[in-house]
Amino acid sequence: MRKDKQERHEKLCSLIEETVAEHPQEFEGHTWAIRPQSDWCELLGVSDRTLRELTKIPPICTTTTHVEGRKAVLLRLGTPGVKTDRHIANIMANVFAEKTGRRPAARDYGMLRGLAQTWPEDAQLAIFKCVLGDWQMFKAG
C-alpha cells in the first residue's frame, strides 16, 4: 500500500476508535462509530470515493443505514460478522438493479427483507438469482 494511503487508513482507524469511545452505538450486535459520510470525508480530508476505498481495507468493517432520516456510514474495527437479513436484502436489491436497470422501491425492499428472513439461510441469494434469471418461467409456474 502506498505510504499516503496507509497514513489515511491509520488516521481513519484512529477516528473510528475515538468515535466509538466517545459515542458508541449498538447496531446488529456490534458497537459502531456512526456519522454521515460527508462528516467522515471532512474529518479525513478525502473524497467520497477515497473513503469508500479506505473502508474496504481490513480491519475496518462497514455498513450503511438511515439515522434520523439521513443516510449514515457505520464503521467499526474487527472481523466481519455474519450476514444479516438486512445485508442480504441489500445484496438482493443490487442484483435486482443489475437485472432490471432500476432500484427496488422502499416497499419492495421490505419484501426483499422478508424473503431473506423466510428462505433457507445461505440459499437466499441463489434462489433470488434463479427466479430473476427466468422471471417469465417463474411466473408461469
Side-chain angles (χ1 to χ4, degrees):
M1 184 181 330
R2 291 187 340 245
K3 186 178 178 183
D4 60 329
K5 190 172 186 177
Q6 180 66 36
E7 289 171 356
R8 286 188 199 120
H9 185 262
E10 290 170 3
K11 184 176 179 182
L12 178 57
C13 289
S14 296
L15 282 171
I16 293 168
E17 288 175 338
E18 289 172 20
T19 304
V20 167
E22 294 171 6
H23 307 287
Q25 299 289 321
E26 293 293 323
F27 184 70
E28 294 183 342
H30 296 283
T31 303
W32 298 86
I34 302 176
R35 294 179 186 269
Q37 185 165 340
S38 58
D39 289 1
W40 288 112
C41 292
E42 185 179 318
L43 289 168
L44 286 170
V46 299
S47 67
D48 291 349
R49 181 178 176 193
T50 302
L51 178 67
R52 286 191 303 271
E53 289 174 7
L54 291 172
T55 59
K56 291 179 184 176
I57 302 169
I60 298 175
C61 298
T62 183
T63 192
T64 58
T65 191
H66 284 84
V67 177
E68 297 175 2
R70 234 176 124 189
K71 188 174 180 180
V73 177
L74 288 68
L75 300 174
R76 67 179 177 85
L77 301 178
T79 57
V82 296
K83 288 186 174 129
T84 63
D85 59 313
R86 186 184 62 81
H87 188 197
I88 293 168
N90 286 340
I91 296 170
M92 291 170 137
N94 290 335
V95 169
F96 181 84
E98 288 173 12
K99 184 73 176 170
T100 64
R102 61 183 178 87
R103 300 287 304 165
R107 178 181 61 93
D108 299 333
Y109 177 80
M111 292 179 195
L112 291 177
R113 196 156 177 188
L115 293 174
Q117 292 169 346
T118 304
W119 285 343
E121 195 162 329
D122 296 329
Q124 301 103 318
L125 295 175
I127 294 169
F128 190 71
K129 289 176 182 178
C130 179
V131 169
L132 283 182
D134 195 354
W135 182 247
Q136 295 303 321
M137 183 62 83
F138 178 78
K139 284 181 19 181

